[in-house]
Amino acid sequence: MIRRARDLILVVNSGSSSIKFAGYQSADLALVFQGEMAGIGGPEETGQILITGSQGEIICDQQAALNDISAAAHRLVQWLKESGMLGRVRAVGHRIVHGGVSYQNATVATSQVIKDLSRLVDRDPVHLPAEIKTVELFRDLLGRSVVHILCFDTAFHRTIPVASRTYGLPLSVRRLGVQRFGFHGLSYQYVSQRLGELDRDATERKTVVAHLGSGASLCAMVRYGETARSIDTTMGFTPAGGLVMGQRSGDLDPGVLVYLARTLGMDAHEMRRAVEFEGGLKGISQKTGDMKILLEGEAAGDKQCTLAIAVFCHHARRWIGAMAASLDGIDDLVFTGGIGEKSAVVRQRVMTGLGYLGLHMIEPRNKQVREGLISSEISPKRVWVIPTNEQIVIAEAVQRVLEKGDQDDSTSESKRTIQAAIENSD
């Protein structure tokens, strides 16, 4: 469906205060540029626009007023126009965190799909509103010649068994769609593919991937080469569950929320703020959810920073054991995500005590390796570091949808959307 070698696939990953993006050449998915607009919604001229080329060279580095998502989207489109690339964009791939039960494949962003996602906002009020707004903005700004494809973080976990997916709640509640969905699926898909490239062992491998960042989760998967099937994961109905994260509490005794409602009179909005914005590492340290700053605080003798780091590492270690149990064993442990990729200190502390699973790493490798094994090559149990790349997974999905011109859950409207884009691209 994409017919010119110089056509671009634009990948957009939006958050409440930032938009990450990348451009890939459609013919071979070679990276053309990537960047981020950060500080959206901040004071005047405090937003940051950073764009780099395929070799990491800086193309744009400036401060700008990014009052809201709309302003950021307009600035990105303006940069594409000024750089001569706006007319090359033939498709946009959007990361969507929550697809609910209906959307488990990359899907054309029709008006009906947008309506369906709007009904899921109460399940993920942190990510979905910004993501839906971004899709609508780029649809308006780029015109009918561009197709928009939605790629869902929840899709990778559609293979989780019913026993892992089901909560211990009454049927009347479960019928509302309350179940474990799991997230970070685009990251897990990339890591499983990349691990298959690095590890040519064709046998079945029981693999636990630890995506550790400001948002953190683990996934238990069974891997055959570059193909993997999700078996269990730590996040649940929303991305707030599982591990302690930067600002999210992770799993709680449900009685805690009942207690807060009864004793402090907290309503749903106040409890959500405590759990999703004021909790986690930020809540424990009383300072920040940024692991780098916490490690600096620990070095300076700050006991609250030390406690926050200890809690984070303990939860990660505990959940690794739980994921290994879901797999009935473990062959590979992979660290990814901002913290998992970059912090040798955190990796070392998480690994402490996992020897009973046969997991050991070599400390010099832990400090030096940016991608690859940090355990011994001859060990049957392997530990890896693999930087994630959600953008390329989205670009690949967009390319597949456009080449096929259809997908399993497409509607007549989605077919018309692709055809209209082709007709208007000439």
Side-chain angles (χ1 to χ4, degrees):
M1 292 289 181
I2 295 181
R3 294 167 294 165
R4 293 189 288 270
R6 284 176 55 78
D7 284 348
L8 288 176
I9 293 174
L10 177 65
V11 174
V12 176
N13 185 346
S14 61
S16 58
S17 62
S18 68
I19 295 179
K20 295 181 180 179
F21 53 89
Y24 293 90
Q25 195 163 280
S26 65
D28 55 6
L29 294 184
L31 179 68
V32 178
F33 63 84
Q34 61 184 341
E36 180 176 10
M37 294 183 169
I40 298 174
E44 283 291 310
E45 300 295 333
T46 59
Q48 185 75 17
I49 304 173
L50 178 63
I51 305 173
T52 59
S54 60
Q55 303 302 314
E57 71 277 15
I58 295 177
I59 298 175
C60 176
D61 185 2
Q62 61 181 238
Q63 287 187 310
L66 302 174
N67 301 324
D68 52 26
I69 293 174
S70 178
H74 278 81
R75 288 300 294 261
L76 176 53
V77 171
Q78 182 63 31
W79 177 80
L80 288 168
K81 183 177 181 179
E82 292 171 352
S83 63
M85 288 188 279
L86 183 59
R88 294 173 57 189
V89 177
R90 288 291 171 262
V92 183
H94 299 265
R95 178 198 178 209
I96 306 294
V97 169
H98 211 312
V101 297
S102 299
Y103 295 104
Q104 298 184 347
N105 297 288
T107 302
V108 177
T110 65
S111 55
Q112 184 58 54
V113 171
I114 297 300
K115 288 179 183 178
D116 291 344
L117 292 179
S118 297
R119 299 188 186 103
L120 298 178
V121 165
D122 59 343
R123 301 185 183 188
D124 184 12
V126 176
H127 300 96
L128 268 180
E131 291 168 348
I132 293 171
K133 178 69 172 177
T134 303
V135 173
E136 293 175 331
L137 281 166
F138 280 100
R139 289 177 79 192
D140 292 340
L141 289 170
L142 296 177
R144 295 183 66 233
S145 64
V146 176
V147 182
H148 295 261
I149 310 294
L150 310 183
C151 301
F152 301 95
D153 252 339
T154 46
F156 183 78
H157 302 294
R158 63 185 178 272
T159 56
I160 290 177
V162 174
S164 298
R165 191 179 298 280
T166 303
Y167 286 122
L169 292 169
L171 181 59
S172 59
V173 176
R174 288 185 278 120
R175 280 177 172 164
L176 296 174
V178 178
Q179 63 176 53
R180 183 179 304 280
F181 286 99
F183 301 89
H184 287 141
L186 297 168
S187 174
Y188 291 130
Q189 184 175 337
Y190 174 81
V191 169
S192 64
Q193 292 170 353
R194 182 60 181 150
L195 183 55
E197 296 170 356
L198 296 172
D199 175 22
R200 294 297 181 179
D201 191 333
T203 61
E204 176 183 295
R205 301 287 293 183
K206 298 174 181 178
T207 303
V208 175
V209 181
H211 180 112
L212 305 181
S214 58
S217 70
L218 273 73
C219 177
M221 62 180 73
V222 176
R223 185 174 56 83
Y224 304 86
E226 296 178 31
T227 303
R229 186 175 79 255
S230 178
I231 300 299
D232 202 354
T233 189
T234 56
M235 283 180 170
F237 180 63
T238 76
L243 281 73
V244 168
M245 302 174 229
Q247 298 180 1
R248 302 175 216 166
S249 67
D251 278 1
L252 290 172
D253 175 352
V256 171
L257 299 182
V258 175
Y259 173 79
L260 294 177
R262 291 169 59 183
T263 59
L264 299 180
M266 280 190 175
D267 59 21
H269 174 76
E270 291 170 321
M271 285 190 283
R272 184 170 76 85
R273 181 154 193 85
V275 167
E276 296 194 23
F277 297 102
E278 301 296 334
L281 298 176
K282 180 180 178 180
I284 297 170
S285 69
Q286 303 175 49
K287 292 179 179 63
T288 180
D290 188 315
M291 180 59 73
K292 182 178 179 181
I293 297 175
L294 290 172
L295 288 168
E296 292 171 352
E298 180 185 53
D302 189 314
K303 293 183 179 180
Q304 295 306 310
C305 290
T306 299
L307 176 61
I309 298 167
V311 170
F312 182 84
C313 294
H314 169 75
H315 275 247
R317 187 184 311 112
R318 178 163 65 92
W319 277 111
I320 289 170
M323 293 296 101
S326 290
L327 290 169
D328 192 23
I330 183 172
D331 298 311
D332 296 280
L333 172 64
V334 185
F335 288 97
T336 192
I339 299 172
E341 297 167 16
K342 298 174 183 178
S343 179
V345 172
V346 171
R347 291 196 299 264
Q348 188 274 327
R349 295 186 188 181
V350 170
M351 287 290 298
T352 301
L354 292 180
Y356 75 99
L357 291 174
L359 297 171
H360 304 277
M361 66 181 184
I362 299 172
E363 191 53 37
R365 286 188 177 181
N366 180 44
K367 293 179 179 178
Q368 297 167 8
V369 171
R370 294 295 172 262
E371 181 184 60
L373 273 173
I374 57 175
S375 61
S376 169
E377 292 96 336
I378 63 174
S379 173
K381 312 286 186 177
R382 302 169 188 165
V383 185
W384 306 78
V385 174
I386 299 180
T388 194
N389 189 342
E390 296 165 326
Q391 287 91 334
I392 189 62
V393 172
I394 296 172
E396 290 169 346
V398 170
Q399 190 179 59
R400 285 194 299 271
V401 170
L402 293 174
E403 288 175 349
K404 188 177 179 182
D406 197 2
Q407 65 280 324
D408 294 340
D409 60 350
S410 68
T411 65
S412 58
E413 184 182 357
S414 71
K415 295 175 185 177
R416 291 196 302 271
T417 300
I418 294 177
Q419 188 60 40
I422 295 168
E423 293 170 354
N424 282 279
S425 66
D426 296 322

